[in-house]
mmCIF file of all heavy atoms in Angstrom:
data_model
loop_
_atom_site.group_PDB
_atom_site.id
_atom_site.type_symbol
_atom_site.label_atom_id
_atom_site.label_comp_id
_atom_site.label_asym_id
_atom_site.label_seq_id
_atom_site.Cartn_x
_atom_site.Cartn_y
_atom_site.Cartn_z
ATOM 1 N N LEU A 397 0.164 0.279 15.536
ATOM 2 C CA LEU A 397 1.462 0.702 16.087
ATOM 3 C C LEU A 397 1.417 0.607 17.625
ATOM 4 O O LEU A 397 2.315 0.118 18.256
ATOM 5 C CB LEU A 397 1.806 2.148 15.661
ATOM 6 C CG LEU A 397 3.137 2.666 16.203
ATOM 7 C CD1 LEU A 397 4.329 1.820 15.748
ATOM 8 C CD2 LEU A 397 3.330 4.110 15.790
ATOM 9 N N ILE A 430 5.066 7.841 1.392
ATOM 10 C CA ILE A 430 5.303 6.662 2.241
ATOM 11 C C ILE A 430 4.838 5.473 1.452
ATOM 12 O O ILE A 430 3.651 5.298 1.292
ATOM 13 C CB ILE A 430 4.558 6.768 3.620
ATOM 14 C CG1 ILE A 430 5.070 7.947 4.389
ATOM 15 C CG2 ILE A 430 4.705 5.488 4.376
ATOM 16 C CD1 ILE A 430 4.318 8.183 5.718
ATOM 17 N N ALA A 435 5.816 -0.329 7.563
ATOM 18 C CA ALA A 435 7.295 -0.460 7.618
ATOM 19 C C ALA A 435 7.909 0.904 8.026
ATOM 20 O O ALA A 435 8.856 0.957 8.797
ATOM 21 C CB ALA A 435 7.878 -0.916 6.287
ATOM 22 N N PRO A 494 31.334 12.538 16.610
ATOM 23 C CA PRO A 494 31.866 11.357 15.950
ATOM 24 C C PRO A 494 32.466 10.388 17.003
ATOM 25 O O PRO A 494 32.926 10.816 18.065
ATOM 26 C CB PRO A 494 32.970 11.961 15.070
ATOM 27 C CG PRO A 494 32.563 13.354 14.849
ATOM 28 C CD PRO A 494 31.911 13.748 16.143
ATOM 29 N N PHE A 501 37.070 12.308 24.412
ATOM 30 C CA PHE A 501 36.498 13.151 25.401
ATOM 31 C C PHE A 501 36.212 12.374 26.726
ATOM 32 O O PHE A 501 36.506 12.815 27.775
ATOM 33 C CB PHE A 501 35.183 13.823 24.900
ATOM 34 C CG PHE A 501 34.561 14.783 25.876
ATOM 35 C CD1 PHE A 501 35.098 16.050 26.102
ATOM 36 C CD2 PHE A 501 33.417 14.382 26.579
ATOM 37 C CE1 PHE A 501 34.517 16.928 26.971
ATOM 38 C CE2 PHE A 501 32.806 15.286 27.449
ATOM 39 C CZ PHE A 501 33.349 16.501 27.681
ATOM 40 N N LYS A 526 43.971 16.816 20.440
ATOM 41 C CA LYS A 526 43.636 18.178 20.793
ATOM 42 C C LYS A 526 42.439 18.713 19.962
ATOM 43 O O LYS A 526 41.617 19.414 20.447
ATOM 44 C CB LYS A 526 44.847 19.078 20.633
ATOM 45 C CG LYS A 526 45.938 18.829 21.706
ATOM 46 C CD LYS A 526 47.140 19.693 21.480
ATOM 47 C CE LYS A 526 48.201 19.441 22.565
ATOM 48 N NZ LYS A 526 49.392 20.269 22.417
ATOM 49 N N VAL A 540 25.514 24.591 26.816
ATOM 50 C CA VAL A 540 25.368 25.546 27.895
ATOM 51 C C VAL A 540 24.590 26.766 27.480
ATOM 52 O O VAL A 540 23.730 27.281 28.220
ATOM 53 C CB VAL A 540 26.739 25.921 28.550
ATOM 54 C CG1 VAL A 540 26.547 27.062 29.516
ATOM 55 C CG2 VAL A 540 27.391 24.747 29.125
#
Side-chain angles (χ1 to χ4, degrees):
L397 180 62
I430 297 176
F501 183 75
K526 289 179 180 179
V540 172

